[in-house]
Amino acid sequence: GGDGRAEPATGAAPARDTRAPFRFDYERFRRSLRHPVRGRRPGEDPETRARRMKIKEMMKFAWDNYKLYALGKNELRPLTKNGHIGNMFGGLRGATVVDALDTLYIMELEEEFQEAKKWVEKSFDLNVNGEASLFEVNIRYVGGLLATYYLTGEEVFKSKALELGEKLLPAFNTPTGIPRGVINLGRQDGMSWSWGWASAGSSILAEFGTLHLEFLHLSELSGNPVMNIRKVLNRVEKPQGLYPNFLSPVTGNWVQHHVSIGGLGDSFYEYLIKSWLMSDKKDAEAKKMYDDALEAIEKHLVKKSAGGLTYIAEWRGGVLDHKMGHLACFSGGMIALGAEHAGEERKRHYMDLAAEITSTCHESYARSDTKLGPEAFRFDAGTEAMATRLSERYYILRPEVVESYMYMWRLTHDPKYRQWGWEVVKALEKHCRVEAGFSGIRDVYTTTPTHDNMQQSFFLAETLKYLYLLFCEDDVLSLDDWVFNTEAHPLPVNHTNFKASVQQ
């Protein structure tokens, strides 16, 4: 790699064993947490508990069917009762296992957690060949392994996370240090090139922006400093203060001016605020970048429809496209998280904005026949919060709307968010639950939907986790202690520095 460390020869001990003695002090880390991981469970009303138990049953159903028909594959195909591998993860397997681990643990599905752990110990092979999306491997696999290590202290999860992290490092071997989007996990030189469709060798904003949280923790656990994407971003000129979606890993300049907060640019903004929260609110640079970016988004992209719905439009080279993607619905939760720490007046303003956007996303669900929301919805020609094109009417078990409900509940305790979340649970049960798992649907506007035969791994990692947490007390995975990565894997807030004492 470009950092001068020799790659270990095949069969040699992994490189991390040859470094200066370093030990992460897990016990000290656990003592620093302000709340027990799974909370204290004080007396609560029976309805809330019953709803939470229903969601736990859905998780067990999703997992049991995956285990039965697709264990070791990446996802379950519930209609055909077989597994799907796909090409996103470059030969890695078991995406659903790694994505589900922390959810199983938090829900106290002990036996199922042990089944998943056993698969990681015995069958999770990192010696694979093939091109992988750096972003997907990072948020699902690295994130899932890191979170499960922090929750349980079991070494197998840490060692797999570090081993995988090391395989991703060659992607950063570019003139600017901004990683390319694709990496070949098998090649020692780690030759990586960007997705063909992503504008001539550019890196997608959400992709390199989001690596930050996980790589911070990989550095923390390995004692090996890794990367600083943010220096480059601060240096680059931003059109109207907005970060466009594509940046060249070679020149460090923007390639084209399409800005969105859903889909391609979404998790970048989320990671700025989360980097700051993870630093225990000490990383002022991340907070300033977030504040500036949010101000620009509000100035250029936030609109109000004729019917009074607040939404975030997409901006293509100066032209507004009045559509909002399901992916952008995470922004209600994000803006609420960031509002906590503005001055009183700004805080009120941002909490209102967060509530309005979350309410618009709820409308996209409420206005469909299935009570599930479409992939994208528009605000033009008399249509509001509805998909107009057939190609945007599908629902693939996505989490972003319930994610915002969970944050809004935690930050306001307005009971409507639990009510809205329960509507989603009922809709999932009615329209997405099939004989052998859960499946996405092709059209949310018909009550006899066609299923897409895919139980996405993020359904177990995110959708069911956020729904469960919505019906938990606030001390279960407390926001004081944990920051969720963009796949809902909880990573700890750095309350202190946990390096064990190393002889100087």
Side-chain angles (χ1 to χ4, degrees):
D3 56 4
R5 270 196 301 116
E7 284 287 348
T10 325
R16 65 183 169 279
D17 295 347
T18 60
R19 290 188 204 126
F22 173 86
R23 193 174 65 82
F24 176 81
D25 191 338
Y26 185 78
E27 289 312 311
R28 188 165 154 228
F29 154 67
R30 281 304 287 252
R31 287 196 302 273
S32 79
L33 293 176
R34 300 182 180 166
H35 305 273
V37 175
R38 297 191 266 204
R40 288 193 182 78
R41 290 280 154 84
E44 56 185 342
D45 69 288
E47 183 186 66
T48 301
R49 186 176 185 283
R51 291 182 170 189
R52 189 173 68 240
M53 288 303 138
K54 174 63 201 169
I55 297 156
K56 177 173 174 173
E57 182 278 329
M58 293 163 75
M59 178 69 183
K60 182 169 165 44
F61 183 71
W63 170 262
D64 286 347
N65 281 289
Y66 167 76
K67 187 190 76 178
L68 188 57
Y69 298 113
L71 184 64
K73 299 289 201 302
N74 284 325
E75 290 100 1
L76 164 68
R77 287 190 169 278
L79 274 74
T80 43
K81 300 183 180 172
N82 60 353
H84 169 78
I85 289 171
N87 56 7
M88 229 165 20
F89 308 120
L92 289 174
R93 300 283 190 264
T96 293
V97 180
V98 179
D99 251 354
L101 278 162
D102 54 10
T103 308
L104 293 170
Y105 181 79
I106 284 303
M107 291 186 180
E108 299 176 49
L109 286 164
E110 207 45 58
E111 197 179 314
E112 293 76 7
F113 176 78
Q114 291 305 328
E115 293 162 356
K117 177 187 163 188
K118 191 171 122 196
W119 186 87
V120 171
E121 286 171 332
K122 307 260 189 301
S123 312
F124 185 34
D125 183 9
L126 296 177
N127 296 309
V128 296
N129 256 307
E131 289 165 30
S133 156
L134 179 64
F135 170 72
E136 294 292 346
V137 168
N138 177 61
I139 65 170
R140 297 191 202 210
Y141 287 91
V142 178
L145 293 164
L146 285 172
T148 309
Y149 170 66
Y150 283 118
L151 290 171
T152 65
E154 307 211 21
E155 288 294 319
V156 58
F157 301 116
K158 179 173 85 174
S159 62
K160 292 279 188 192
L162 291 175
E163 194 184 333
L164 183 53
E166 216 147 273
K167 284 178 166 289
L168 300 180
L169 283 179
F172 295 92
N173 210 350
T174 63
T176 56
I178 291 173
R180 298 189 173 96
V182 174
I183 181 157
N184 188 313
L185 295 171
R187 294 172 54 153
Q188 286 303 295
D189 62 345
M191 194 38 219
S192 66
W193 47 90
S194 296
W195 297 110
W197 50 264
S199 304
S202 56
S203 285
I204 297 175
L205 178 64
E207 302 209 342
F208 59 78
T210 38
L211 295 162
H212 188 83
L213 296 187
E214 291 81 1
F215 275 79
L216 211 68
H217 281 281
L218 288 172
S219 303
E220 180 84 11
L221 292 178
S222 64
N224 191 21
V226 184
M227 50 184 266
N228 194 343
I229 283 167
R230 248 193 273 144
K231 284 201 177 70
V232 186
L233 287 178
N234 262 338
R235 190 173 54 68
V236 185
E237 201 42 54
K238 296 177 280 296
Q240 267 98 35
L242 293 162
Y243 290 92
N245 288 336
F246 299 109
L247 185 65
S248 162
V250 180
T251 63
N253 290 321
W254 301 113
V255 182
Q256 59 177 37
H257 289 174
H258 171 177
V259 177
S260 74
I261 190 156
L264 299 170
D266 57 357
S267 11
F268 172 65
Y269 301 103
E270 171 191 359
Y271 269 57
L272 288 173
I273 194 67
K274 288 180 174 181
S275 294
W276 176 71
L277 291 168
M278 188 176 277
S279 71
D280 218 4
K281 304 172 190 163
K282 294 183 179 70
D283 184 345
E285 178 191 44
K287 183 69 162 78
K288 176 159 181 19
M289 283 174 82
Y290 169 79
D291 289 339
D292 293 351
L294 183 56
E295 200 173 317
I297 286 169
E298 201 173 359
K299 186 169 159 198
H300 299 282
L301 305 181
V302 172
K303 300 286 167 210
K304 218 182 192 81
S305 72
L309 298 179
T310 302
Y311 63 98
I312 302 181
E314 296 190 1
W315 185 75
R316 295 168 192 273
V319 182
L320 275 187
D321 187 5
H322 294 272
K323 93 168 194 200
M324 185 165 173
H326 192 290
L327 287 163
C329 282
F330 84 95
S331 56
M334 176 189 77
I335 291 167
L337 266 181
E340 281 296 278
H341 313 281
E344 220 27 66
E345 192 182 339
R346 297 307 292 153
K347 176 176 172 171
R348 189 67 266 138
H349 170 77
Y350 282 127
M351 285 308 287
D352 289 345
L353 178 61
E356 286 170 25
I357 290 168
T358 305
S359 178
T360 297
C361 291
H362 171 255
E363 284 300 316
S364 79
Y365 277 52
R367 294 180 186 194
S368 85
D369 302 45
T370 54
K371 304 299 173 217
L372 293 166
E375 181 69 4
F377 45 94
R378 300 190 170 265
F379 298 87
D380 43 29
T383 311
E384 298 204 350
M386 307 260 300
T388 45
R389 306 167 187 194
L390 194 59
S391 61
E392 293 171 344
R393 292 179 173 199
Y394 60 89
Y395 172 70
I396 56 170
L397 307 175
R398 287 205 191 276
E400 292 77 19
V401 173
V402 297
E403 174 182 357
S404 284
Y405 294 169
M406 190 278 296
Y407 284 115
M408 295 305 291
W409 163 255
R410 288 234 171 150
L411 298 169
T412 69
H413 293 123
D414 183 330
K416 75 180 177 197
Y417 297 112
R418 279 186 164 172
Q419 204 38 56
W420 292 354
W422 189 244
E423 288 167 14
V424 177
V425 171
K426 289 190 296 191
L428 287 167
E429 285 284 290
K430 186 167 175 189
H431 301 292
C432 299
R433 187 169 180 143
V434 293
E435 187 198 337
F438 287 88
S439 165
I441 55 177
R442 296 193 195 278
D443 184 357
V444 297
Y445 300 108
T446 166
T447 44
T448 51
T450 319
H451 292 101
D452 67 8
N453 195 24
M454 184 69 78
Q455 179 176 280
Q456 303 281 349
S457 82
F458 55 67
F459 180 65
L460 294 83
E462 306 186 67
T463 313
L464 291 175
K465 186 186 286 122
Y466 287 134
L467 282 167
Y468 183 81
L469 292 172
L470 177 60
F471 292 98
C472 281
E473 297 299 313
D474 293 356
D475 61 357
V476 181
L477 288 182
S478 164
L479 299 180
D480 294 339
D481 285 325
W482 303 93
V483 170
F484 292 94
N485 89 338
T486 209
E487 190 82 2
H489 295 307
L491 298 172
V493 170
N494 188 3
H495 291 313
T496 147
N497 199 340
F498 303 106
K499 292 186 177 49
S501 48
V502 176
Q503 295 309 299
Q504 294 304 321

